[in-house]
């Protein structure tokens, strides 16, 4: 027993020494639950004054007592941040001690690692890889896939939408999915790729996919914020906004999910360019949100189901997020989200919360889902995929398939409901 203890101490000696000296070599994610108003204020300061990135909540203004905060702390700020916490008797847990390793794991490409057995869709991909994939997917499936250029980003990268279309029935309806509004939510573009792959491979094999594609065209925008996404691959993994330069400030980027014209820049958004929830200079000031809005405006008669994919926190949200008011078809939306959450529970034993955005997370005006809803797309949703904070934005590649499959079953459940409901209303107007 004694020998074992000594062995254990020896094996962990370097770790003990390191933690004793408080010099972290790795970026970390801390979990901190403030207990008093004073602690709340200290945390707000820490997250704004030091080189850290707030993971949860999205902005320091939402930090409150007894609510868990997830804070990304780079190695070089670790000592000062931890000292500050200690000085004010704020306890913290370490959610992830090895963020750099996880980032490395996410950017390593399977092709450079011969032992990897994961497929293309079980890995994360750089923006260039995604552009190549778009090209290849269209070329390999000329009868089912078209690419549509809907605009370009602030830094002039193309915004391509894939249109999956099986037949040309008159008055065919459509659904829309966008991914990657927020740059650091890498599971989101991964889902769009997964969805396309699954649809193309299982048409005529899977009954649900077949029914969906027989009844609807599907528009997929795999990366709405290519500049931000590229930046997370090259420079700052924690970047959220786009990369537009502000006239009034040195801070860069607009939160594209605060830039749509739905109670734009009211409570839950900020007109301060240095915040993560900056709403931009005016509604649709950003080329990315404008491109999406223009496309949907010109397709609003066919598009009946709008879906935007985010992470993390495992939620199926619907309008409104920009007001506490209930949507006119709240009951329908609630029922659909509930059914989708039940399907995830049944097939994957995982829990998703559901409800209107404002009541389930927080007021967040200027979102694409509320805007699409007000445009007349009555079935409008935002999904927050895995996880609930274990890995947060650094979800390892090995968890991509679970995360995407459970989201896929939710999408299918809702799409089938939309088809059913719109058929019923077409036959008894
Ligand atoms: N967490 C996301 C955000 O902060 C989604 C919010 C839900 N929808 C919305 N329209 N705000 O943007
Ligand atoms: Zn997001």
């Amino acid at each position: 027993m004694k020998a074992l203890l000594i062995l254990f101490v020896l094996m962990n000696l370097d770790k003990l020494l390191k933690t004793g000296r408080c010099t972290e070599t790795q970026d970390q994610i801390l979990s901190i639950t403030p207990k008093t108003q004073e602690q709340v204020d200290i945390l707000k300061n820490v997250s704004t004054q030091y080189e850290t990135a707030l993971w949860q909540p999205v902005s320091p203004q939402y930090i409150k007592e007894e609510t868990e905060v997830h804070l990304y702390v780079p190695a070089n700020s670790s000592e000062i941040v931890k000292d500050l916490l200690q000085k004010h008797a704020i306890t913290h847990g370490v959610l992830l001690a090895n963020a750099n390793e996880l980032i490395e794991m996410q950017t390593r490409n399977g092709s450079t690692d011969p032992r990897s057995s994961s497929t293309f869709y079980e890995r994360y991909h750089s923006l260039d890889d995604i552009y190549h994939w778009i090209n290849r997917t269209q070329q390999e499936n000329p009868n089912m896939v078209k690419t549509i250029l809907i605009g370009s980003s602030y830094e002039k990268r193309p915004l391509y939408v894939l249109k999956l279309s099986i037949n040309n029935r008159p008055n065919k309806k459509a659904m829309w999915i966008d991914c990657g509004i927020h740059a650091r939510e890498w599971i989101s573009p991964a889902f769009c790729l997964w969805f396309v792959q699954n649809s193309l491979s299982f048409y005529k094999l899977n009954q649900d996919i077949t029914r969906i594609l027989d009844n609807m065209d599907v528009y997929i925008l795999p990366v709405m914020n290519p500049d931000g996404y590229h930046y997370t691959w090259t420079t700052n993994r924690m970047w959220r906004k786009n990369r537009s330069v502000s006239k009034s400030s040195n801070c860069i980027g607009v939160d594209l999910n605060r830039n749509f014209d739905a109670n734009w820049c009211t409570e839950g958004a900020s007109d301060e360019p240095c915040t993560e929830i900056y709403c931009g200079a005016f509604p649709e000031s950003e080329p990315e949100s404008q491109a999406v809005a223009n496309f949907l405006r010109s397709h609003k008669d066919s598009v009946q189901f709008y879906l935007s994919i985010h992470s993390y926190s495992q939620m199926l949200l619907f309008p409104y997020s920009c007001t506490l008011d209930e949507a006119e078809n709240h009951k329908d939306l609630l029922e659909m989200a509930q059914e989708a959450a039940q399907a995830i529970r049944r097939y994957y034993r995982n829990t998703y919360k559901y409800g209107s955005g404002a009541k389930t997370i927080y007021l967040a005006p200027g979102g694409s889902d509320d805007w699409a809803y007000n445009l007349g797309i009555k079935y409008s949703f935002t999904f927050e995929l895995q996880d609930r904070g274990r890995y947060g934005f650094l979800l390892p590649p090995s968890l991509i398939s679970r995360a995407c499959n459970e989201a896929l079953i939710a999408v299918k459940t809702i799409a089938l409901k939309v088809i059913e409901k719109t058929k019923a209303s077409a036959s008894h107007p």
Side-chain angles (χ1 to χ4, degrees):
M1 189 60 206
K2 218 175 183 178
L4 265 182
L5 193 68
I6 292 170
L7 189 67
F8 176 81
V9 170
L10 281 177
M11 274 168 44
N12 290 286
L13 199 59
D14 66 319
K15 249 189 230 156
L16 290 170
L17 284 175
K18 256 185 219 153
T19 45
R21 280 207 314 274
C22 258
T23 42
E24 293 302 337
T25 53
Q26 290 255 336
D27 302 353
Q28 298 193 325
I29 291 85
L30 305 184
S31 160
I32 309 160
T33 307
K35 304 278 186 225
T36 63
Q37 189 54 43
E38 191 213 340
Q39 295 190 343
V40 168
D41 295 337
I42 305 282
L43 267 185
K44 285 185 181 174
N45 270 338
V46 168
S47 68
T48 45
Q49 313 275 317
Y50 298 96
E51 199 200 317
T52 59
L54 202 53
W55 276 20
Q56 178 187 293
V58 62
S59 169
Q61 69 193 84
Y62 303 113
I63 297 177
K64 55 175 198 249
E65 292 165 54
E66 301 300 339
T67 310
E68 196 176 331
V69 171
H70 296 167
L71 186 68
Y72 180 91
V73 183
N76 57 4
S77 312
S78 169
E79 198 167 342
I80 185 158
V81 168
K82 285 186 180 169
D83 281 354
L84 251 164
L85 294 179
Q86 204 174 14
K87 216 162 83 205
H88 294 89
I90 305 174
T91 54
H92 68 268
V94 178
L95 275 179
L96 294 175
N98 58 339
N100 310 79
E101 250 163 62
L102 285 166
I103 292 173
E104 207 268 322
M105 216 160 75
Q106 289 188 317
T107 47
R108 195 185 311 153
N109 211 305
S111 53
T112 57
D113 179 2
R115 288 162 307 173
S116 158
S117 60
S118 62
T119 67
F120 181 87
Y121 297 94
E122 294 169 308
R123 300 195 295 268
Y124 295 109
H125 295 283
S126 66
L127 189 63
D128 273 349
D129 278 7
I130 295 178
Y131 281 130
H132 280 128
W133 171 85
I134 290 173
N135 218 330
R136 189 158 32 90
T137 303
Q138 171 195 275
Q139 279 172 3
E140 287 171 2
N141 303 277
N143 302 324
M144 283 169 89
V145 182
K146 289 199 168 37
T147 48
I148 308 171
L149 180 68
I150 64 159
S152 57
S153 67
Y154 183 83
E155 292 173 347
K156 302 287 179 253
R157 293 189 174 86
L159 297 169
Y160 292 118
V161 165
L162 289 176
K163 179 182 185 184
L164 309 187
S165 183
I166 303 296
N167 54 45
N168 268 324
R169 291 191 187 173
N171 301 321
K172 200 161 168 220
K173 299 306 180 188
M175 63 185 264
W176 163 281
I177 307 178
D178 58 64
C179 293
I181 292 193
H182 290 140
R184 62 193 177 186
E185 301 165 7
W186 283 13
I187 188 62
S188 169
F191 175 79
C192 266
L193 272 55
W194 191 275
F195 181 89
V196 170
Q197 149 73 8
N198 201 279
S199 303
L200 295 175
S201 332
F202 291 105
Y203 180 69
K204 289 287 181 213
L205 295 175
N206 172 287
Q207 204 186 330
D208 295 343
I209 289 285
T210 309
R211 182 162 158 79
I212 292 166
L213 290 175
D214 280 343
N215 285 282
M216 287 199 218
D217 291 336
V218 186
Y219 296 106
I220 295 137
L221 172 56
V223 189
M224 194 198 288
N225 175 11
D227 301 344
Y229 188 72
H230 181 69
Y231 194 70
T232 60
W233 273 77
T234 57
T235 315
N236 177 358
R237 178 65 184 79
M238 295 309 143
W239 193 257
R240 164 180 167 97
K241 300 184 282 182
N242 77 347
R243 293 291 303 163
S244 76
V245 173
S246 150
K247 286 208 181 83
S248 59
S249 157
N250 288 326
C251 288
I252 287 183
V254 168
D255 182 348
L256 295 175
N257 212 29
R258 299 292 181 280
N259 191 235
F260 286 81
D261 198 359
N263 290 358
W264 177 79
C265 220
T266 53
E267 187 190 339
S270 169
D271 59 5
E272 163 51 57
C274 297
T275 62
E276 295 286 20
I277 50 172
Y278 175 45
C279 58
F282 50 88
E284 291 177 33
S285 59
E286 303 310 294
E288 298 87 356
S289 35
Q290 198 184 85
V292 170
N294 282 340
F295 183 86
L296 288 172
R297 269 190 286 265
S298 63
H299 292 77
K300 68 173 181 178
D301 296 334
S302 59
V303 177
Q304 294 181 318
F305 174 17
Y306 171 90
L307 175 60
S308 191
I309 303 288
H310 290 250
S311 76
Y312 61 97
S313 63
Q314 299 182 192
M315 291 178 183
L316 311 178
L317 305 171
F318 51 79
Y320 283 109
S321 288
C322 66
T323 161
L324 291 162
D325 295 350
E326 255 179 24
E328 166 265 318
N329 61 342
H330 178 86
K331 261 190 75 191
D332 273 3
L333 295 169
L334 183 69
E335 196 182 283
M336 291 158 109
Q338 179 180 21
E339 209 173 293
Q342 278 164 354
I344 293 176
R345 173 177 298 288
R346 190 166 343 117
Y347 290 98
Y348 295 96
R349 307 241 148 270
N350 210 0
T351 307
Y352 278 61
K353 281 195 191 168
Y354 53 89
S356 75
K359 292 192 176 144
T360 312
I361 5 178
Y362 39 59
L363 275 169
S368 60
D369 50 359
D370 285 353
W371 176 82
Y373 182 80
N374 286 340
L375 181 71
I377 304 176
K378 288 297 164 208
Y379 303 103
S380 178
F381 294 83
T382 292
F383 286 3
E384 296 269 4
L385 307 195
Q386 281 191 25
D387 57 12
R388 276 145 98 189
R390 170 75 181 83
Y391 294 103
F393 301 120
L394 299 181
L395 196 72
S398 57
L399 300 180
I400 292 177
S401 87
R402 276 283 310 255
C404 289
N405 276 327
E406 69 189 20
L408 186 64
I409 207 156
V411 178
K412 286 198 225 168
T413 305
I414 294 177
L416 290 172
K417 277 268 166 190
V418 170
I419 291 169
E420 205 179 282
K421 283 185 196 275
T422 48
K423 282 234 157 92
S425 67
S427 48
H428 343 257

